[in-house]
Amino acid sequence: MNWKRITLYIILAIIILIQFIPAGRPELGTSHENDLLYNNEIPEDIAGMLRASCYDCHSYEVNYPWYSYVAPVSWLVARDIREGLKELNFSEWESQSKMDKAKNLDEIIDEITEGEMPMPIYTIIHRNAKLTDEQKEQLADWADSYAESLFE
Amino acid sequence: MKKISTLIFIIILGFLFVNFTISTPASSRQDVKTEKAKYHVPEDVQQIIDKSCYDCHYSESENEKGKKKLQFDKLGELKLYKQVAKLADIADEINEGEMPPEEALEEYPEIKLTDEEKTKLVGWAEEMAKQLSSDSE
């Protein structure tokens, strides 16, 4: 047995072993009771953008692709979704105070306009989540007028 | 003799007047700042803001980043939801110890907030944010 082969076996063993380390995927609710899209009349194109570009990490409607079950990718995906849900959860939108809604909508505008969200590492793989400049503007304009309507 | 004392009296009166007019612009600065504001800033909170926040967070600031995020002198001109959002952000940033930033504290240690000042500022910002939210209920 040569060294090349031994190294290969070791690497293989490590890959198999790390699969047993839990990824820490967050527990997801199933209710739509407090969901933003279920409780409000949101224009279809806006709802589509929110679903395609935000809902994968910022709602209970997470889609885990197959590779998100394979360590070490699973750890990264789980961490991003955990943190995403902590920052903003559209599935629990209506359970927030009006103050928090204002804060989140203002933040959404900033993050989208500055290109911070959706995260580049996410849109590399999920091409359909990438927002065009025009879509960014549309989404930011919607967030602004929706926020205003809450305070009328 | 009477004439002299009358003269002195007039001169003193004149001094008082001059003093009064000189001191007016300084004290009205507070009013100008919050002129259009829908929120109220008590004197002690204004002092904390002046000491630790204002230099970066006002419309003429040279700190572009600070100016972009928040301008205390223009806060009251923003849309209502933006005012609420900014006030809530202020409370969060102070609570998390993010503001004033480390770099600023290194250069100007005197702007560091005491625990008491933090409590006061956070309490005010939260109270105002809540008040503005419920006013439009």
Side-chain angles (χ1 to χ4, degrees):
Chain A
M1 211 147 88
N2 61 19
W3 283 108
K4 243 187 193 167
R5 182 157 278 203
I6 291 172
T7 317
L8 200 72
Y9 279 135
I10 290 173
I11 290 171
L12 210 65
I14 290 172
I15 289 174
I16 291 169
L17 278 174
I18 62 170
Q19 302 311 317
F20 291 98
I21 301 172
R25 271 183 287 275
E27 213 170 296
L28 301 173
T30 48
S31 165
H32 298 306
E33 202 184 329
N34 290 317
D35 190 277
L36 171 81
L37 297 177
Y38 285 79
N39 285 283
N40 299 280
E41 278 181 32
I42 311 238
E44 218 166 290
D45 50 342
I46 299 295
M49 280 185 242
L50 289 171
R51 274 195 198 287
S53 304
C54 319
Y55 260 58
D56 245 1
C57 294
H58 293 294
S59 83
Y60 292 148
E61 295 171 47
V62 176
N63 282 317
Y64 288 112
W66 65 267
Y67 51 81
S68 71
Y69 290 97
V70 183
V73 178
S74 57
W75 305 337
L76 299 177
V77 173
R79 193 202 56 193
D80 284 347
I81 295 175
R82 268 202 319 269
E83 284 175 6
L85 279 172
K86 210 170 79 188
E87 286 291 328
L88 169 67
N89 184 350
F90 285 120
S91 297
E92 293 292 352
W93 182 259
E94 294 303 329
S95 54
Q96 305 176 94
S97 67
K98 204 157 92 172
M99 181 178 96
D100 286 331
K101 286 181 188 172
K103 190 172 169 290
N104 276 325
L105 286 162
D106 187 50
E107 182 85 17
I108 288 168
I109 297 171
D110 280 354
E111 294 279 323
I112 290 174
T113 333
E114 286 162 20
E116 300 281 339
M117 283 287 153
M119 290 192 327
I121 194 172
Y122 173 74
T123 51
I124 284 175
I125 303 159
H126 301 81
R127 305 302 297 178
N128 65 331
K130 206 170 156 66
L131 297 168
T132 65
D133 285 347
E134 196 192 333
Q135 284 178 315
K136 284 180 195 171
E137 213 184 307
Q138 269 180 293
L139 206 48
D141 283 350
W142 164 78
D144 181 61
S145 54
Y146 176 59
E148 263 188 287
S149 75
L150 296 174
F151 283 79
E152 268 162 8
Chain B
M1 201 61 193
K2 218 175 183 180
K3 263 186 186 168
I4 291 171
S5 55
T6 312
L7 200 68
I8 290 170
F9 183 72
I10 290 171
I11 289 170
I12 291 172
L13 208 70
F15 268 118
L16 281 175
F17 233 92
V18 170
N19 266 334
F20 189 72
T21 46
I22 286 172
S23 67
T24 311
S27 64
S28 70
R29 189 171 148 234
Q30 312 280 354
D31 303 335
V32 171
K33 270 187 200 174
T34 54
E35 195 178 31
K36 289 178 184 165
K38 295 190 175 68
Y39 60 94
H40 170 70
V41 191
E43 191 68 31
D44 52 347
V45 173
Q46 187 68 59
Q47 274 170 11
I48 299 169
I49 293 171
D50 283 348
K51 183 189 88 168
S52 301
C53 324
Y54 204 74
D55 276 352
C56 293
H57 293 297
Y58 82 112
S59 55
E60 307 288 321
S61 169
E62 285 168 12
N63 185 315
E64 290 302 324
K65 207 172 151 195
K67 191 161 82 176
K68 196 170 157 240
K69 288 275 176 198
L70 171 68
Q71 299 174 2
F72 275 104
D73 53 336
K74 304 276 183 206
L75 187 54
E77 294 169 24
L78 295 176
K79 291 174 182 172
L80 198 51
Y81 89 86
K82 288 250 181 207
Q83 294 188 37
V84 171
K86 297 287 178 197
L87 286 161
D89 279 342
I90 291 168
D92 282 356
E93 294 279 323
I94 302 294
N95 267 334
E96 287 160 20
E98 300 282 341
M99 284 288 149
E102 212 52 58
E103 311 92 78
L105 289 175
E106 269 166 35
E107 206 171 334
Y108 310 100
E110 68 277 9
I111 68 167
K112 191 173 161 62
L113 294 166
T114 65
D115 285 344
E116 195 194 339
E117 287 171 330
K118 281 184 193 171
T119 314
K120 226 177 233 175
L121 191 53
V122 169
W124 166 77
E126 280 177 346
E127 183 54 36
M128 276 302 111
K130 273 188 204 137
Q131 211 172 301
L132 292 180
S133 303
S134 56
D135 277 356
S136 59
E137 210 78 73

